[in-house]
Amino acid sequence: MSLAAWQSLLPPANASIRRTPALAPSKQTGTVSLAVGKKMKNVIVFSIGSTAYAVELGWIREVFTLAHVTPVPHAPTAIAGVVNFRGSILSILDIRGLSSRLAQASKGESALLLEVDRCQVALRAGTIDEVSSLLADSRTGALLDSRHRPVVLLDPPELFDAAMNNRSLALQAVASHEE
Amino acid sequence: MKNSLLDIVLTQARHALGALRQESGNDAERERQLDDLFGAAQLVGDEELERNVRSIAEKITAHRDEGVLALEQFVETLGAQLRPEEDTAVEEFAEDAPTISKPNSPTIGDSSPTRVHRTARRNKSSFDTGEHLTLLNIFREEAREGLERITAILIANTGGKPDDDQLNELMRLTHGLKGAAGTVDLPQIASLAHEFESAIERIRTGQSQWSNSVRDDLVEIADGMHLSIASASGPDQAAAGVEGLRERLAGIGKAKADDAASSEIPTDEVPPLQITETHKDQSYAERRRPDRRGVDSPMLRVDPGRIDRLMNCVGELVFDRSRIEKRASKLASELSLIREAMDTLNSQRAGWVESGAPVRVDQLGSALAEIEGRLATIMPALEEELGRLGDDTSLLKRTEFALQDGLTAVRMQSVRSLFSRLTPQLRAMARQTNKQVRLVTAGGETEFDKTVADQLVDPLIQLLRNAVVHGIESPSHREANGKSAEGRIMVTARHESNVVVIEVSDDGAGIRTDDLRKRFVQDGRWSTEQARQASDERTLQMIFDAGTSSRSTTDQLAGRGVGLSTVRQTVTRLGGEVLVSSQPGLGTRFTMRLPLTTAVANAMLFKIGGHVFAISNVHVLDQSEIALPLRETAPDAQGRDLPLVPLHELLGFPMPANLRRCPVVLLEFMGKRLAISCDRIIGAREIVIKNLGPMLAGIPLYAGGTISPSGKVQLILDPAALVNLAYPGPPVKLTDIRQDSAEPPVARRILVVDDSKAIREAMRHMLLKAGYEVVTASDGASAWQSLQEQGYSAMVTDLEMPGEDGFTLLTRASKYIRQTQMRVLVISSKDTAENRKRAESLGASDFLAKPVRQQLLIDALRAAQRNT
């Protein structure tokens, strides 16, 4: 392989330093304009119970409906089972993964297919509310949705880490919201 | 950033300058030097610098003297820039990461900070991204081939100096390596390759003398690079491996040395590979065969013919589908004919009902006859179509098999590539132990599944290590026993019906079973009576059991069991088996028998709590039913009691209320038998094994998952975990750490956990020097994460840390430690009896008080690992 070919494989020079959303502001996908460092966020907003959560579009590969869910005894508490997704097995992540045992995820629920570092996970999404660009409140820094409801912005790498290490996810999200 | 890419530019610029100044030099040479300089500048990835270099090159072409002046100035400025850079530039620019400052001034000097900044940033950015991993894999593959070729050329010249063509090829290869390494963010490797290139260049131009020892040094260094690259997952790790090699290279042939002098090149810095011995065995290098094939990374190289076969299958599938579609439409038209007949019948009946008149028999008869006639014509057509559909289905099945075979073939890899990974490792081991060893391989063309092959690397290296360390005697000892000074290790592969057999044999000292018997009695594992009764065969196979290596003896057999239990575990997990045979004085042979592929397996399926679970059928002995309520054991066919793992309880499902007798599956894994209970046994099926993904990879209970014909995920239980549940191991004992042994450091991965960066770095340094691969973590949580990511042979941890402390970490990891047999050393300033006791109870092998000294740490690690 020639040097030029090697260099063409390199990440673009303006890629952000840490793990970047897969579809984040890379040149190939000009349609997604995710402004890193600015206040505007392109997200999918979904609610579980009375809480609204948001995930930046760059992390989301697909929105899909869960097929038959298989429970996994002894899995980390945030894992609500596994599901067959086009022939590969996906873990289903639930942000309510608190100390008590989760409600089993079931067929027909909505889920977001998230990808971090090539690792794909289905995130249980409850009701999907909207796809929008959200602006952070300039005073508090909190993210508000179109109905001015505060939204908890989830950070998928953080979610993945927490899930694998059996840390409580919901508390994480709330904490980052309160900052 | 002493070894940064800029250094390469500077050296290259100096070379170019030298070439230009030489009156006698030819134009082609100058051009090449300038090309290289430009290439080096491109590596840095700074446009400013590239522009500068380009303009200098243009100047040289137009007005040579002017160009030379510009180049001189360039060298000077860059040289001045590079020296103070370490203290200022990096610090300065590390802070303002989000903005990339572009210098406006066109001078060379100003652009340097940008370059430094960018290199630093690139290092950071490339650490976690999948893209970089892909790049690294590609690079490893390419680098391995390049290095293999380099060694092949070097070794091919047993007599004298390589000819010009060969030297040019060497230059080209190292040059390519340099470029690629720089691009994938391994500046240290790039700079090492650069030094290598310079050394070859010196030989080419006659500045350095060629000699056998120079050649051997180069081969060794190429091997060292090979190993560094294989283990490098980022610039830091690569850096650790190459520093010593760099020093070494710079010295090659520089002093116009003759043979004797150049074989005494000083090595003040001990590289992790411990390449300190320069009087090495040349015959080994000479006999080494060039070997260019194979794959050394998760990338898969496939013969295009195999892909073509798959494409043909896809073509077949299209035909199959269209045939079936045709059948479907035929059947649909038959169906419409039946429907017409039905309609006629219905309207006839409706007519009769409407008229209210009684129906005559002859009317009824003719109506029925008409329907019968119509059905009679439809029936044969339907039968024919059904028959054809059956044929089509069997054709489809054939295509499916062909597709499966084709895909399996794509995953097949020749064993040669596996073998090629062993050679550098073996050379390093031989050097460490001062033994003369020759590796002979046979059956390299044998093919088997890449996933199996990949998992065999560690077991094979373990077996080689055993052979080198414990099997092959020292040269003098061998000669005294009438053997050649050089030991021989043979690795062979062959197909035997449906399995691949891989053998590792040595012509060393062999294993004396009487010594083993004594050891087992000493250990309390066997009674004297048991030892007397055990056959030689049975005694020998015991060396695969965990803990076979002795506690403190330092004789030949000490450590015989190191890692052998892991070897057996890996092989058994793959569905294979490993056996040992040995003749005292003549040698030892390990035989591994492995399945061709692990992607498809025969599994026993059973149901619990409404869910289907699977377990590899290889390990299933039998099935039966036992009376309720469950006891702690279940009898096998011969009436012997086996420990019972109650799966309902383990998996958290209630026992069905209507169950009269409980079905059990009897298993055997690693020589241990057990029974598991379930609701219903479904039976044996062929299943496709799939990965459960990283989130669940840490749960030892599962070996993977599979997808049922209806699309549901079914979990596959890992027999190893069940055995561990049925046979809980004895607690690990603290061991006597003070002992001297000739055993070389086992070059394996160690996780160092400490909140102080200085201590982390210090320990890292100590361990690297001793040949270990080191990963560090700053607290319990990140250590736990590291443990999830990859395996470690040992973990060295502090106790007091902010966030999650050492005890919390050990508590959390206790199951992991048991499962993986990872050794744990606790290092703390709180050296109290209570802490020691607690650490021991949590699985720690040893407890060292801070501050820890290098020798103590290494000794403790070795002692802990010997007691695997």
Side-chain angles (χ1 to χ4, degrees):
Chain A
M1 192 183 268
S2 75
L3 192 61
W6 274 106
Q7 280 169 341
S8 71
L9 289 173
L10 268 183
N14 62 344
S16 77
I17 285 170
R18 226 168 68 84
R19 288 178 282 195
T20 332
L23 301 175
S26 87
K27 282 171 186 164
Q28 299 99 335
T29 57
T31 48
V32 183
S33 61
L34 198 141
V36 174
K38 289 187 187 163
K39 300 285 178 194
M40 203 67 148
K41 308 267 188 201
N42 290 334
V43 294
I44 284 186
V45 181
F46 61 93
S47 329
I48 294 180
S50 55
T51 318
Y53 299 90
V55 177
E56 287 189 70
L57 288 184
W59 300 105
I60 300 171
R61 278 294 152 103
E62 225 169 290
V63 178
F64 69 105
T65 308
L66 293 180
H68 175 86
V69 175
T70 303
V72 182
H74 299 280
T77 48
I79 304 295
V82 286
V83 69
N84 167 18
F85 181 74
R86 289 189 213 125
S88 56
I89 300 176
L90 285 185
S91 297
I92 304 166
L93 212 127
D94 192 319
I95 40 177
R96 288 163 299 179
L98 294 165
S99 51
S100 64
R101 192 81 196 150
L102 276 183
Q104 166 78 34
S106 54
K107 193 169 173 168
E109 282 185 40
S110 296
L112 306 178
L113 179 63
L114 303 185
E115 182 172 323
V116 176
D117 279 354
R118 290 190 185 181
C119 159
Q120 293 192 333
V121 163
L123 177 69
R124 249 176 130 169
T127 334
I128 297 197
D129 297 333
E130 58 180 337
V131 180
S132 59
S133 299
L134 297 188
L135 204 60
D137 186 296
S138 54
R139 196 175 45 83
T140 59
L143 211 59
L144 302 173
D145 74 356
S146 55
R147 283 175 278 165
H148 298 285
R149 208 165 42 137
V151 172
V152 179
L153 181 68
L154 300 172
D155 177 28
E158 187 64 29
L159 281 186
F160 281 35
D161 286 354
M164 279 197 238
N165 294 310
N166 240 344
R167 275 188 282 138
S168 161
L169 285 166
L171 291 179
Q172 286 280 324
V174 172
S176 73
H177 168 55
E178 281 168 0
E179 275 172 8
Chain B
M1 299 298 284
K2 206 169 132 200
N3 300 323
S4 74
L5 298 166
L6 283 176
D7 260 349
I8 302 180
V9 177
L10 182 60
T11 323
Q12 198 55 58
R14 286 192 178 130
H15 281 191
L17 199 56
L20 284 166
R21 278 174 179 159
Q22 249 180 344
E23 286 303 321
S24 58
N26 59 25
D27 285 347
E29 171 62 19
R30 288 185 194 121
E31 214 166 278
R32 204 182 60 75
Q33 290 288 3
L34 283 175
D35 272 358
D36 281 0
L37 173 58
F38 192 60
Q42 276 182 325
L43 273 188
V44 179
D46 181 15
E47 289 167 22
E48 193 74 45
L49 184 76
E50 270 181 56
R51 252 205 313 283
N52 267 316
V53 171
R54 191 180 294 125
S55 83
I56 291 172
E58 279 163 6
K59 263 187 200 158
I60 290 171
T61 325
H63 306 282
R64 190 173 145 199
D65 293 347
E66 210 174 292
V68 171
L69 265 180
L71 186 57
E72 273 171 1
Q73 205 188 338
F74 176 84
V75 168
E76 208 170 288
T77 329
L78 191 56
Q81 278 291 322
L82 277 177
R83 292 318 130 205
E85 165 206 310
E86 263 183 302
D87 332 297
T88 55
V90 176
E91 293 301 321
E92 237 173 81
F93 283 82
E95 295 307 312
D96 64 42
T99 55
I100 300 172
S101 57
K102 265 279 167 193
N104 297 320
S105 160
T107 66
I108 304 154
D110 282 352
S111 63
S112 173
T114 318
R115 273 176 257 131
V116 172
H117 171 95
R118 191 176 289 184
T119 317
R121 206 180 56 80
R122 227 203 237 176
N123 287 351
K124 246 191 200 166
S125 71
S126 53
F127 248 88
D128 286 333
T129 63
E131 253 170 346
H132 187 244
L133 279 180
T134 318
L135 270 181
L136 259 186
N137 283 334
I138 301 172
F139 170 68
R140 280 196 196 116
E141 160 90 350
E142 191 167 289
R144 196 182 56 75
E145 286 197 353
L147 286 166
E148 293 263 348
R149 181 76 195 128
I150 288 169
T151 19
I153 295 173
L154 289 169
I155 292 165
N157 290 280
T158 47
K161 183 176 163 181
D163 61 28
D164 280 354
D165 281 351
Q166 288 175 324
L167 283 171
N168 284 336
E169 188 177 358
L170 286 176
M171 299 273 297
R172 188 182 59 71
L173 287 165
T174 39
H175 194 82
L177 188 63
K178 174 171 81 178
T183 316
V184 296
D185 265 358
L186 296 173
Q188 277 78 7
I189 301 274
S191 118
L192 189 63
H194 177 71
E195 295 286 342
F196 203 99
E197 193 186 352
S198 306
I200 304 277
E201 171 70 4
R202 287 199 299 276
I203 291 164
R204 200 171 69 107
T205 55
Q207 285 174 320
S208 304
Q209 293 280 316
W210 173 260
S211 70
N212 280 348
S213 68
V214 165
R215 179 204 62 195
D216 286 350
D217 282 347
L218 289 175
V219 171
E220 252 186 57
I221 289 160
D223 278 355
M225 285 168 81
H226 192 153
L227 295 180
S228 293
I229 290 169
S231 62
S233 59
D236 287 353
Q237 287 181 29
V242 303
E243 259 322 301
L245 297 175
R246 220 173 107 84
E247 302 276 317
R248 193 73 188 283
L249 257 174
I252 281 196
K254 252 192 177 157
K256 293 222 173 210
D258 61 19
D259 246 12
S262 66
S263 66
E264 287 169 6
I265 289 161
T267 49
D268 39 359
E269 188 172 349
V270 182
L273 293 170
Q274 301 266 309
I275 308 177
T276 49
E277 179 54 65
T278 47
H279 297 278
K280 73 218 121 287
D281 166 33
Q282 292 177 6
S283 60
Y284 173 58
E286 275 155 17
R287 287 199 191 102
R288 195 174 161 250
R289 289 279 161 80
D291 182 355
R292 299 182 58 194
R293 280 194 51 196
V295 185
D296 195 359
S297 70
M299 309 291 293
L300 192 62
R301 296 197 144 190
V302 181
D303 169 11
R306 291 181 176 177
I307 303 279
D308 289 348
R309 287 221 302 273
L310 283 181
M311 281 313 290
N312 291 344
C313 288
V314 173
E316 269 317 292
L317 272 183
V318 174
F319 286 135
D320 293 345
R321 194 203 58 197
S322 65
R323 270 199 299 267
I324 289 172
E325 274 171 1
K326 216 162 79 190
R327 302 289 162 245
S329 71
K330 275 268 179 66
L331 284 174
S333 70
E334 304 297 338
L335 183 67
S336 68
L337 289 178
I338 295 177
R339 199 168 282 138
E340 269 174 35
M342 282 277 289
D343 288 348
T344 317
L345 194 62
N346 275 339
S347 61
Q348 188 77 267
R349 201 184 52 186
W352 288 331
V353 170
E354 211 171 287
S355 72
V359 182
R360 293 200 312 275
V361 175
D362 62 326
Q363 277 177 323
L364 198 60
S366 72
L368 283 177
E370 193 204 330
I371 302 297
E372 191 191 356
R374 284 203 211 177
L375 285 179
T377 54
I378 296 168
M379 284 291 283
L382 257 183
E383 271 166 11
E384 194 188 328
E385 283 310 312
L386 268 179
R388 285 190 185 152
L389 192 60
D391 294 347
D392 292 344
T393 319
S394 58
L395 279 177
L396 184 64
K397 214 175 202 167
R398 221 158 51 202
T399 316
E400 180 198 313
F401 283 142
L403 201 58
Q404 195 180 332
D405 275 0
L407 275 172
T408 314
V410 164
R411 297 168 62 97
M412 287 291 171
Q413 186 191 21
S414 77
V415 186
R416 184 172 289 114
S417 53
L418 182 62
F419 288 173
S420 76
R421 300 196 213 182
L422 305 177
T423 318
Q425 297 272 4
L426 182 79
R427 275 199 288 240
M429 286 178 222
R431 280 194 286 269
Q432 285 165 5
T433 49
N434 286 324
K435 285 177 183 168
Q436 295 182 15
V437 185
R438 185 175 139 206
L439 179 68
V440 181
T441 61
E445 69 289 343
T446 313
E447 285 193 328
F448 68 129
D449 195 315
K450 185 172 152 44
T451 45
V452 183
D454 283 346
Q455 293 185 61
L456 276 186
V457 178
D458 284 347
L460 271 175
I461 288 174
Q462 185 62 53
L463 292 179
L464 280 187
R465 189 174 289 134
N466 262 287
V468 173
V469 176
H470 306 292
I472 304 292
E473 313 90 328
S474 66
S476 55
H477 193 269
R478 287 179 66 88
E479 278 172 339
N481 284 332
K483 293 183 184 178
S484 63
E486 183 186 67
R488 204 173 85 129
I489 297 178
M490 188 141 179
V491 183
T492 62
R494 62 176 188 276
H495 279 143
E496 256 179 32
S497 67
N498 220 8
V499 294
V500 176
V501 180
I502 297 184
E503 286 184 346
V504 177
S505 52
D506 64 64
D507 64 351
I511 305 171
R512 288 211 302 275
T513 43
D514 281 349
D515 289 356
L516 284 177
R517 285 195 183 88
K518 265 184 225 153
R519 161 101 17 82
F520 296 153
V521 172
Q522 270 173 19
D523 285 358
R525 191 182 313 200
W526 279 357
S527 66
T528 327
E529 184 57 23
Q530 272 175 312
R532 205 176 53 78
Q533 284 180 353
S535 64
D536 281 1
E537 171 65 22
R538 164 130 193 266
T539 313
L540 207 50
Q541 307 308 331
M542 286 287 286
I543 66 171
F544 291 111
D545 279 10
T548 290
S549 78
S550 84
R551 288 165 311 205
S552 56
T553 42
T554 52
D555 63 33
Q556 266 300 309
L557 281 159
R560 252 297 177 189
V562 172
L564 283 182
S565 67
T566 341
V567 171
R568 183 167 69 174
Q569 207 163 345
T570 311
V571 172
T572 322
R573 184 162 303 186
L574 288 168
E577 58 172 358
V578 56
L579 293 169
V580 59
S581 62
S582 181
Q583 275 192 292
L586 293 178
T588 306
R589 175 194 304 268
F590 288 92
T591 308
M592 295 189 273
R593 301 167 66 84
L594 296 144
L596 283 172
T597 176
T598 53
V600 178
N602 194 300
M604 175 65 83
L605 303 191
F606 47 89
K607 231 172 178 173
I608 307 168
H611 298 281
V612 177
F613 289 82
I615 193 156
S616 166
N617 214 3
V618 181
H619 310 300
V620 174
L621 287 175
D622 202 357
Q623 35 178 292
S624 70
E625 282 188 347
I626 55 169
L628 288 170
L630 295 180
R631 290 179 301 134
E632 285 190 355
T633 56
D636 67 3
Q638 284 79 41
R640 283 174 301 202
D641 275 344
L642 305 181
L644 175 73
V645 177
L647 283 189
H648 295 93
E649 203 177 295
L650 179 68
L651 301 172
F653 297 116
M655 198 83 167
N658 56 358
L659 205 65
R660 292 215 175 141
R661 288 173 70 79
C662 182
V664 290
V665 180
L666 307 179
L667 305 172
E668 175 165 357
F669 184 77
M670 307 227 317
K672 288 178 177 145
R673 294 177 174 213
L674 67 146
I676 53 174
S677 64
C678 62
D679 289 355
R680 186 163 70 83
I681 293 171
I682 297 172
R685 299 273 190 284
E686 286 280 304
I687 59 164
V688 177
I689 300 173
K690 291 178 188 261
N691 193 330
L692 283 183
M695 292 276 168
L696 301 174
I699 313 175
L701 189 58
Y702 306 112
T706 185
I707 293 174
S708 74
S710 61
K712 296 177 183 171
V713 177
Q714 297 168 343
L715 298 168
I716 305 168
L717 297 176
D718 190 337
L722 297 174
V723 163
N724 286 340
L725 285 167
Y727 296 86
V732 181
K733 288 201 173 103
L734 286 181
T735 51
D736 173 22
I737 55 148
R738 303 297 301 160
Q739 56 176 276
D740 290 307
S741 159
E743 196 184 315
V746 181
R748 295 188 68 171
R749 232 182 343 247
I750 311 277
L751 180 63
V752 171
V753 194
D754 198 297
D755 56 336
S756 149
K757 189 174 179 206
I759 294 176
R760 267 199 321 267
E761 285 311 304
M763 284 206 274
R764 193 166 111 105
H765 195 70
M766 292 174 191
L767 293 168
L768 281 175
K769 261 181 152 172
Y772 290 98
E773 209 182 309
V774 185
V775 174
T776 59
S778 59
D779 62 6
S782 51
W784 178 241
Q785 195 184 340
S786 297
L787 291 178
Q788 305 296 310
E789 280 162 9
Q790 55 182 355
Y792 292 88
S793 65
M795 174 168 83
V796 180
T797 179
D798 190 6
L799 286 181
E800 286 181 296
M801 288 179 282
E804 195 175 313
D805 67 13
F807 282 134
T808 319
L809 170 64
L810 289 181
T811 313
R812 174 139 76 146
S814 64
K815 190 174 172 191
Y816 178 97
I817 294 168
R818 253 203 331 274
Q819 299 277 353
T820 59
Q821 303 202 341
M822 179 179 74
R823 308 281 93 186
V824 177
L825 294 189
V826 171
I827 296 196
S828 169
S829 45
K830 290 258 164 98
D831 181 10
T832 62
E834 191 194 341
N835 276 350
R836 275 179 179 263
K837 207 171 154 196
R838 196 167 161 209
E840 184 184 354
S841 72
L842 288 168
S845 305
D846 211 331
F847 191 113
L848 302 181
K850 271 186 186 172
V852 66
R853 309 205 69 92
Q854 172 163 3
Q855 196 53 46
L856 205 62
L857 177 63
I858 304 296
D859 284 352
L861 265 177
R862 284 183 191 160
Q865 292 188 329
R866 258 198 304 278
N867 285 282
T868 300

